[in-house]
Amino acid sequence: MNYRRLGRSGLKVSELSFGSWVTYGNQLDTSAARECMAAAWDAGVNFFDNAEVYAAGQSEEIMGEVLRTMGWPRLKYIVSTKFFWGITDGPNEKNTLNRKYLLNAIDASLQRLRLDYVDLVFCHRPDPNTPVEETVWAMHDMIERGKALYWGTSEWSAEAIREAWEIAERHHLRKPVMEQPEYNLFHRARVEREYAPLCETLGLGLTTWSPLASGLLTGKYRSGIPAESRAAIPRMKFLVQSLTDKAANDIVARLADLARDLGCTVAQLAIAWCARNPRVSTVITGASRVSQVKENMGAVDVIAKLTPEAMARIEAIAGGAGG
Ligand SMILES: NC(=O)c1ccc[n+]([C@@H]2O[C@H](COP(=O)([O-])OP(=O)(O)OC[C@H]3O[C@@H](n4cnc5c(N)ncnc54)[C@H](OP(=O)(O)O)[C@@H]3O)[C@@H](O)[C@H]2O)c1
């Protein structure tokens, strides 16, 4: 495993990391999550991604319990959480990045995670109903109070990120250091076009999500929906159309042939392709079982196999697919 700087910050994150969306509290109980986190850790992962809203707080509780029992030195791992959607009802508890919500939410997350601080905290989506300046001050205060070390955004427009950064610069506040966007062979525009100038000028780091497009890029949906898969989960129904799309699955089949030539699986190829982008600080992987973690971590060895020739072959197959 290699470690990369999170943008222009001094923090080093493993180029592959491990997150808990969909899985913890739904597909994985504490003991299965422990097994997966241990496998990721053994492969060199130092960053574990989480969010308040994942399984309505249960994902943080499970991760907190695993971290407590693992006894890993706090200096050696990085944990994140994210705020926006909220998990309780009320005018200041849902779909907001206002000061009141943010400064309450962090305390509840830390309690569930059983941590004194999180390393990374993200504003999980933009909030059109709170001035960016209010959010920037709240994130700054969260850090000044020792509850988080770095803050960033997730799926904000480049324009809004720049606005937040400039407010922080003007008032000598903590600046947003990283953004967490979706990035995979079928979803590229935001990272490659919209955020690229921010990476260059502001030194923004990227912690990218869904490298396998929710499993599409493993090839598992080429002949329908397997019983034990994300698409088979009733509340994930919104993904069924994209996961079973014929044209997309034909592209995956062609990528699988290329992966075979390179001596890897198509999942490893897809993850390594994300990590091959130097603007990506870490590729957040997901898994519903330990065998997937082990396979996906093998992508580390595939990054170097993605020569300009291999990248050109990938581009020829999937270049037109990325939205
Ligand atoms: N900031 C955001 O808004 C945001 C949004 C989404 C995700 N994230 C973060 O990014 C992380 C990763 O996202 P993701 O889970 O969507 O990643 P992904 O890599 O696109 O999908 C992971 C899922 O694909 C399947 N899978 C993974 N490896 C496999 C393999 N080798 N063979 C077969 N199936 C495999 C598993 O689902 P099944 O086995 O159930 O099919 C697994 O849960 C999340 O955990 C979260 O931390 C952030």
Side-chain angles (χ1 to χ4, degrees):
M1 184 71 71
N2 290 302
Y3 299 85
R4 300 183 185 181
R5 280 174 66 186
L6 180 63
R8 217 172 272 162
S9 82
L11 188 70
K12 300 220 175 62
V13 284
S14 46
E15 58 195 356
L16 302 186
S17 43
F18 186 53
S20 59
W21 179 53
V22 186
T23 52
Y24 287 32
N26 295 305
Q27 295 167 295
L28 296 173
D29 61 12
T30 306
S31 115
R34 181 181 296 115
E35 220 192 326
C36 286
M37 281 176 71
W41 173 265
D42 288 346
V45 163
N46 75 348
F47 168 37
F48 299 95
D49 186 60
N50 214 324
E52 173 196 56
V53 76
Y54 295 169
Q58 226 188 312
S59 169
E60 290 178 327
E61 276 170 15
I62 289 174
M63 194 175 278
E65 177 60 15
V66 172
L67 291 170
R68 189 186 67 79
T69 52
M70 286 301 193
W72 297 328
R74 184 68 186 88
L75 184 54
K76 291 197 180 290
Y77 62 86
I78 294 164
V79 172
S80 70
T81 193
K82 315 187 195 82
F83 302 120
F84 172 66
W85 282 288
I87 53 174
T88 52
D89 284 327
N92 292 307
E93 291 151 72
K94 283 251 182 283
N95 304 336
T96 181
L97 293 175
N98 74 25
R99 181 175 179 82
K100 183 163 177 66
Y101 162 70
L102 288 171
L103 292 177
N104 272 273
I106 184 67
D107 287 340
S109 277
L110 292 177
Q111 215 168 7
R112 285 189 292 269
L113 285 163
R114 304 176 190 220
L115 295 176
D116 297 329
Y117 68 93
V118 288
D119 302 86
L120 311 182
V121 59
F122 293 87
C123 294
H124 211 157
R125 287 296 180 271
D127 170 13
N129 298 310
T130 299
V132 173
E133 184 159 344
E134 176 175 336
T135 299
V136 173
W137 272 102
M139 300 311 283
H140 169 83
D141 287 341
M142 204 183 279
I143 292 175
E144 291 304 295
R145 292 174 190 184
K147 295 176 183 184
L149 301 185
Y150 303 86
W151 80 275
T153 55
S154 181
E155 299 290 350
W156 281 32
S157 68
E159 192 187 355
I161 296 170
R162 191 176 285 281
E163 185 187 350
W165 197 94
E166 284 171 356
I167 289 167
E169 169 87 339
R170 202 175 315 132
H171 297 285
H172 302 286
L173 304 176
R174 301 285 179 169
K175 297 186 178 100
V177 162
M178 68 286 174
E179 155 64 40
Q180 185 166 134
E182 179 175 1
Y183 186 51
N184 57 58
L185 275 157
F186 290 111
H187 192 100
R188 308 168 52 165
R190 205 155 216 191
V191 163
E192 294 180 5
R193 293 205 283 278
E194 185 177 345
Y195 293 146
L198 298 185
C199 298
E200 303 308 318
T201 57
L202 308 184
L204 193 72
L206 300 177
T207 68
T208 62
W209 56 269
S210 286
L212 299 175
S214 274
L216 171 62
L217 281 157
T218 66
K220 72 199 291 179
Y221 296 104
R222 277 166 59 190
S223 42
I225 299 177
E228 304 275 308
S229 68
R230 183 172 289 184
I233 301 172
R235 71 191 171 78
M236 304 308 287
K237 232 179 167 166
F238 67 95
L239 290 172
V240 166
Q241 203 182 342
S242 59
L243 290 175
T244 55
D245 181 79
K246 171 140 182 13
N249 277 290
D250 286 349
I251 289 173
V252 176
R254 294 178 63 203
L255 289 170
D257 292 338
L258 170 52
R260 211 167 303 122
D261 290 351
L262 294 174
C264 66
T265 67
V266 66
Q268 291 170 333
L269 175 98
I271 292 169
W273 178 88
C274 299
R276 181 72 164 61
N277 182 334
R279 295 197 179 98
V280 170
S281 315
T282 181
V283 179
I284 311 175
T285 65
S288 67
R289 60 206 77 166
V290 74
S291 58
Q292 293 175 356
V293 178
K294 289 184 177 160
E295 178 184 341
N296 296 348
M297 292 302 140
V300 163
D301 298 323
V302 180
I303 301 170
K305 293 185 182 173
L306 296 185
T307 58
E309 295 72 34
M311 290 297 274
R313 285 179 69 189
I314 294 173
E315 205 57 35
I317 296 169

